Every structure is written in structure tokens, then in C-alpha cells.
Amino acid sequence: AGVGIISLFSSATALASTIAAMGLPTSGVRQIAESAASGDETRIARTVVAFRRVALFLAVTGALVFLSLRTQISHVTFGSADYATAIGVLSLVPLMMVLSGAQSALIRGMRRIGDLARATVIGGALGTLVSVPVLYLMGSAGIVPYLIAIAGATLLASWWYARKIRLVKVRLGWREVIAEARPLLRLGSAFMVSGLVTMATLYLLRVLVARQLGMVAAGLYEATMALSNVYVGFILAAMGADFYPHLSAVAHDDAECNRLLNSQVEVGLLLATPGLLVMLALGPFLLQILYSEQFVAAFEILRWQLLGTFLRVVTWPLSFLLLAKARGRLYLWTELGTNLFYLVMAGLGINYLGLTGVGVAFLAMYVFHLGLMYFLARRLSGFRWSGRDLRLVG
């Protein structure tokens, strides 16, 4: 039950962070990378200063709104106001997540990939060292401090490496900040809505599992989702740190875009497949070691999720093509369609197969998404799979 509560709190704060950020981390990478490519130190500084001020404003505003809606959020998430106070305290999490996302976007935009990797690893390690003992010693009472500690560690690590980026001094009035921020928010709004759709889907799905199957089932689902995504998620995040800015820089050259897409799919498959096979073979053992013997029953859903995760590796680079070409509205519609399909399939899966049906729906979603993204990539750049990619998938 404790894992289920953590998952619901995490979903609520992640959803709030996505709304508050307004797509700034995604659009900011593109804007900062474009300024950095110009080599104009003043232009770079103006972009970064405006970006940071907007991020601070959005972070504070998002936290205050989350705090003011704590009772309503508790009712929607848990069916009562019992968790309103805890949710109010958790308003610190969206604040820190928006700021850390902005710092990471700055590091990515400047293509300091080594610093980004170090910030990610150190933030994760520091968060684990601080938060896990809190949860162990305090039990369920430590859930809120646990989540705050993780967000705080991530913010601290991202700030430490972002501060190393040296900029010339510039002064910007609010009118100039607004002028610099307008393209950031215009493109970012489409990314924000698409991110919101994804987060809202995960949030609603967790609530659906908890309401229909109980908190124990919600904990099992959360455990399998974390296990199926942790290895591949780390690989994709590491590759995407440089792939997105690089693809954006050549977005006008379809042939080069297609070469990069095929290359990225190949690298992703070579890195991810061995780990996925290991998890398929040792899934029950891993669930028992990482959680407890009671979680071994979740292996049935984990198998389906791992198959879906394999397809995620294949389709993931194609999604960046829409971002690189600034097709924000089209990207939004693809995300909306894919997530609606996932919710419908998950609802049917729960009715007919119980918790396993959620895993089957996850695989079905990525089959749908792969077909959709390949069709769009063909239309946008004439993309075709390379022979090597087809052999690897086969």
C-alpha cells in the first residue's frame, strides 16, 4: 500500500510540474542551442537570463497553485480530504522540479553532455542516500520527506553544474524578458500540453488501478513500471541529451535527419536489448530482491511491459523528428491519440484480464505508436528503416 501511495503522490506532483513548466525544458533546449550555435556571447546571455527568469516565475506560480488546490487534489486522487495537508507540503516538489528541469535544459542546450550525465548520476545517488533512510526509519510518515528529498537532490545537482556555465553580464528589463520568452512559450505550450497528456494518462491510470483493483495492485503496477523503464529510461535519457539538439541543428536536411534517426535506433537497440532480455529471464528474482516476495506475482504484467519497452526504443527517436522540425501541434495530436488509445485499452484490459491487462495495453500502445510515428516520419522526411535496423528488430 505504501508503494501505491508514493506512486499517487508522485503522479500528482509530476502532473503539476508538467503544467507549471509550460514546456520550457523542451523549447528551452532548442532556443539555447540555437543561440549557442551563433557564437554571439551577448545573444547567449540574453537567452539564458530570460529563460531563467521565466522558469523561476513559472516554478513559484505552479507551487502556489498546487498548494491552493491541495484539498481538491486529495479528493480526486484518494477520494477524500485526508491527504490534503501532505499534498500542501508537497507543493515544494513542483517548485524544485521545474527549476531543476530548467537547469538541465540549460546544460543540454549548451551541449555540456558530460556535466548533464554527472548531474543526473549524482542527483540520483544523493537523492537515494538521503531519502531511503528517511523512508526506512519513518515508514509511511516519511513518504512526504522522501519525495521532497529526491526533488531537492535533483535540484542541487543540476544547479551545481549549471552554475559552471559562464555568461557575459547583460541587463534585461521585464519587457525584454517577455520578448525573449515569447518564442519559448509559444513552442513550449504545445510541448507542455503533450507532456500534460502523458502525465495525466499515467495519473489517471494509477488512480484507475487503485480504485478498481486496490492499493496493493497499484503498488504492484508501480513496481513493474519502475523496473521495466529504469534501464531503458536511463539509456534513452543519456542518448537524448545530445541527440535532440543535434537533430534540431540539421532539421532542414532530410537525408541527414534520416541517417541520424537510423543510427540512433541502432544504438538504442544494441544497448537496450541485452538488459531487457536479462530482466525477462530474471524478472521474478529481481522483483523479490528489489521489493519483496509478494511482488513476484507482478511478473506477469512485467513481461508485457518489457515487450512494450522494446518497441519504445524503436519508436523513441522518431518522436524527436517532430520536435526538431518544430511541429509542435502535430506532436501534440500524436501524443493525445496515443495516450487516449492507451487509456481505452487499459480500461478494457482491467475489465477482462485484471492487472495483467494493463501490461497488455502498454504493449498495444507502443504497437500503435510505432505505426503512427513511422507514417509521420515518412511524410516529413521520407524516412525508411535501414536494413541493419530491420535485422536487429527481427
Side-chain angles (χ1 to χ4, degrees):
V3 177
I5 294 173
I6 291 174
S7 71
L8 292 174
F9 275 152
S10 298
S11 294
T13 53
L15 181 59
S17 302
T18 300
I19 297 172
M22 289 291 292
L24 205 66
T26 304
S27 62
V29 170
R30 181 183 177 86
Q31 190 93 340
I32 293 169
E34 185 180 358
S35 296
S38 71
D40 186 336
E41 295 292 334
T42 301
R43 179 184 173 186
I44 295 170
R46 288 174 64 89
T47 300
V48 171
V49 169
F51 176 75
R52 281 175 164 167
R53 289 185 185 176
V54 173
L56 179 60
F57 173 78
L58 292 176
V60 173
T61 302
L64 292 175
V65 172
F66 190 79
L67 175 63
S68 67
L69 296 176
R70 60 191 180 278
T71 302
Q72 292 86 343
I73 294 171
S74 180
H75 274 292
V76 171
T77 306
F78 297 98
S80 72
D82 294 346
Y83 293 89
T85 300
I87 289 172
V89 177
L90 284 172
S91 61
L92 290 171
V93 174
L95 173 70
M96 292 187 286
M97 289 178 71
V98 172
L99 292 177
S100 62
Q103 300 286 25
S104 297
L106 171 59
I107 298 170
R108 283 183 67 187
M110 299 298 290
R111 299 191 69 178
R112 299 172 70 105
I113 308 306
D115 283 349
L116 181 63
R118 283 185 284 272
T120 301
V121 172
I122 292 173
L126 182 61
T128 301
L129 287 173
V130 174
S131 62
V132 171
V134 170
L135 194 62
Y136 178 78
L137 294 173
M138 298 178 64
S140 60
I143 290 176
V144 171
Y146 164 80
L147 294 172
I148 292 174
I150 291 175
T154 302
L155 174 60
L156 180 62
S158 63
W159 168 80
W160 179 262
Y161 285 98
R163 65 188 281 275
K164 295 184 177 183
I165 297 174
R166 300 301 177 189
L167 304 169
V168 299
K169 291 187 177 182
V170 294
R171 291 189 176 184
L172 294 182
W174 277 107
R175 288 186 178 180
E176 294 172 297
V177 170
I178 292 172
E180 290 281 344
R182 191 172 289 118
L184 279 170
L185 296 176
R186 185 167 53 244
L187 182 59
S189 61
F191 298 150
M192 180 273 291
V193 176
S194 63
L196 175 59
V197 167
T198 299
M199 297 307 303
T201 299
L202 295 175
Y203 173 68
L204 291 174
L205 189 55
R206 286 175 172 124
V207 171
L208 179 64
V209 171
R211 295 281 183 88
Q212 295 292 322
L213 303 175
M215 279 295 182
V216 173
L220 295 176
Y221 169 69
E222 185 65 21
T224 58
M225 281 294 291
L227 188 56
S228 65
N229 284 311
V230 63
Y231 175 70
V232 168
F234 180 79
I235 291 173
L236 296 185
M239 292 193 302
D242 189 56
F243 177 61
Y244 173 38
H246 192 181
L247 188 65
S248 297
V250 298
H252 60 282
D253 186 340
D254 287 343
E256 183 62 12
C257 281
N258 294 338
R259 187 193 68 79
L260 285 176
L261 289 171
N262 272 306
S263 175
Q264 201 69 25
V265 170
E266 179 182 341
V267 171
L269 288 173
L270 290 173
L271 291 175
T273 301
L276 293 175
L277 291 175
V278 168
M279 282 191 282
L280 273 173
L282 302 178
F285 177 73
L286 292 173
L287 286 167
Q288 184 173 351
I289 293 298
L290 295 175
Y291 295 95
S292 71
E293 188 175 349
Q294 286 72 28
F295 282 82
V296 174
F299 180 63
E300 185 64 26
I301 180 178
L302 178 63
R303 291 192 305 171
W304 293 100
Q305 288 172 331
L306 290 173
L307 292 173
T309 302
F310 175 80
L311 293 183
R312 179 187 174 197
V313 175
V314 178
T315 191
W316 170 83
L318 303 183
S319 301
F320 279 100
L321 182 63
L322 275 64
L323 302 179
K325 288 184 174 290
R327 301 296 293 270
R329 190 170 298 178
L330 180 59
Y331 180 76
L332 168 60
W333 284 111
T334 62
E335 291 296 298
L336 179 61
T338 299
N339 282 282
L340 284 176
F341 179 82
Y342 185 25
L343 275 178
V344 171
M345 294 300 294
L348 292 173
I350 288 174
N351 285 334
Y352 289 100
L353 299 172
L355 188 58
T356 301
V358 183
V360 176
F362 186 80
L363 173 60
M365 173 186 66
Y366 275 107
V367 171
F368 173 83
H369 191 246
L370 177 60
L372 178 62
M373 294 310 302
Y374 182 73
F375 170 77
L376 292 176
R378 287 276 295 147
R379 296 291 299 271
L380 290 174
S381 67
F383 175 77
R384 290 181 182 274
W385 299 115
S386 68
R388 185 170 176 82
D389 283 347
L390 290 174
R391 287 192 296 273
L392 285 172
V393 172

